[in-house]
Amino acid sequence: MSSPNGTGETRTVLAVDIGGTKFAAAAVTADGGMPVRAEVPLSAFASADAALAEVVGRVTARVDRDGIEGVGIGSAGPLDSVKGSVSPVNIPGWRDFPLADAVSRMLPGRPVRLAGDGQCMALGEWWRGLAEHTPSRAVLGMVVSTGVGGGLVLDGTPYLGPTGNAGHIGHIAVDPGGEPCPCGAAGCVETVASGPNMVRWARANGWSGEDAKALAADARLGHPVALRAFRRAADALATAILTAAALFDLDHVVVGGGVAAAGTVLFDPLRRAVTGSAGLGFLRRVRVDPTSLGRDAGLLGAAALVLPQDSPC
């Protein structure tokens, strides 16, 4: 959907995606084009603040800064969209960090909108991904990676909630007597289905690999502990999906993130678990698919937060 401005130039916004282990940013046009994109690993910097400045600087150095009309930010949560602050569970150095203000200082005078990373992933898929081509009135997007995030698009509108945390599905308790979660609760979806927690569980049960990618590779080869780790994750995610489906009458669930990149070793047991546990007819109709946009879904959704009125929101 092209959206020219009064001078005939394509409108451009800056999109920023804050994850638990990487930060990404891009210049995004109103038709979903992404002429400039940058990504940095958080581990390469002394602080998250430095990583933020670097990734934004890499993009703004390669575009006409005066042509950037606004900034959309998707961040791991929890967050406070009213204050523009974030407290990502997996970034201990950021507690009530004024993220919107920090980015605004880099590009003064532009509107800035902040939403959860899962929310932006859902919005990106609804706008330019799989859900765009599959009519869906109620979409849940899930990011399964270092943490587990989520977001909702209902009747074409992102539902953020009063504080911006609606759809924060990673902190639904699926095992109230389970492992403690950094959020302060116990047995959250994230304690079972995030990449680091899957690896931790697998090592405790005899697996000797290094990370979630190795765990997925071994699961594909039939390693029994690796397969059990993915089945446990699938069961936890299915419980959360069906809970959300019962509340919001979902049409479609789109799952992205590093763990989702494992492919069939996650999605086969996940779909079986959703189908096997869905009782009511409206729950059985929920579709569960991997993201069609990969790592760009969150950036596109963040951009959609601030695109002009002829865009999705």
Side-chain angles (χ1 to χ4, degrees):
M1 117 186 30
S2 180
S3 179
N5 61 24
T7 64
E9 296 176 351
T10 301
R11 285 175 167 165
T12 302
V13 298
L14 175 69
V16 181
D17 183 13
I18 302 297
T21 59
K22 68 171 181 65
F23 291 178
V28 182
T29 58
D31 60 358
M34 199 176 295
V36 180
R37 187 188 192 284
E39 184 174 309
V40 299
L42 188 54
S43 60
F45 296 85
S47 68
D49 304 52
L52 176 66
E54 176 66 20
V55 76
V56 170
R58 288 188 187 183
V59 173
T60 57
R62 296 172 58 195
V63 298
D64 175 12
R65 290 172 62 96
D66 292 337
I68 296 175
E69 298 188 358
V71 183
I73 307 171
S75 176
L79 54 85
D80 187 326
S81 60
V82 177
K83 295 180 179 178
S85 62
V86 300
S87 302
V89 172
N90 295 300
I91 306 179
W94 277 6
R95 290 295 173 265
D96 295 318
F97 177 72
L99 178 59
D101 284 347
V103 176
S104 182
R105 286 194 295 271
M106 299 176 195
L107 285 166
R110 279 78 162 185
V112 177
R113 288 194 66 189
L114 169 68
D117 57 348
Q119 180 63 70
C120 289
M121 181 266 183
L123 185 55
E125 280 291 342
W126 182 86
W127 179 35
R128 286 296 173 196
L130 186 65
E132 179 194 14
H133 305 291
T134 307
S136 303
R137 290 186 59 189
V139 179
L140 169 68
M142 299 181 72
V143 179
V144 186
S145 188
T146 309
V148 178
L152 297 157
V153 179
L154 306 178
D155 287 325
T157 301
Y159 180 70
L160 305 181
T163 67
N165 289 290
H168 207 39
I169 200 165
H171 296 283
I172 288 177
V174 293
D175 181 11
E179 294 291 326
C181 181
C183 78
C188 295
V189 174
E190 193 166 294
T191 66
V192 181
S194 72
N197 281 312
M198 290 173 66
V199 169
R200 176 189 53 77
W201 180 88
R203 286 176 176 165
N205 284 273
W207 183 71
S208 58
E210 293 186 0
D211 55 26
K213 287 184 179 180
L215 188 67
D218 280 354
R220 294 187 197 98
L221 294 174
H223 190 292
V225 174
L227 285 171
R228 284 171 59 201
F230 274 92
R231 288 169 186 156
R232 289 179 76 248
D235 287 345
L237 293 169
T239 298
I241 286 170
L242 290 171
T243 298
L247 289 171
F248 296 103
D249 195 9
L250 297 176
D251 297 310
H252 204 170
V253 179
V254 184
V255 187
V259 173
T264 57
V265 293
L266 176 68
F267 282 94
D268 285 353
L270 176 56
R271 288 173 172 141
R272 285 195 298 268
V274 169
T275 300
S277 298
L280 297 170
F282 78 96
L283 297 178
R284 292 195 296 273
R285 70 183 183 81
V286 176
R287 303 185 302 277
V288 179
D289 290 303
T291 175
S292 62
L293 298 173
R295 298 166 78 172
D296 289 337
L299 286 168
L300 288 167
L305 293 171
V306 290
L307 282 168
Q309 291 302 306
D310 57 345
S311 70
C313 54

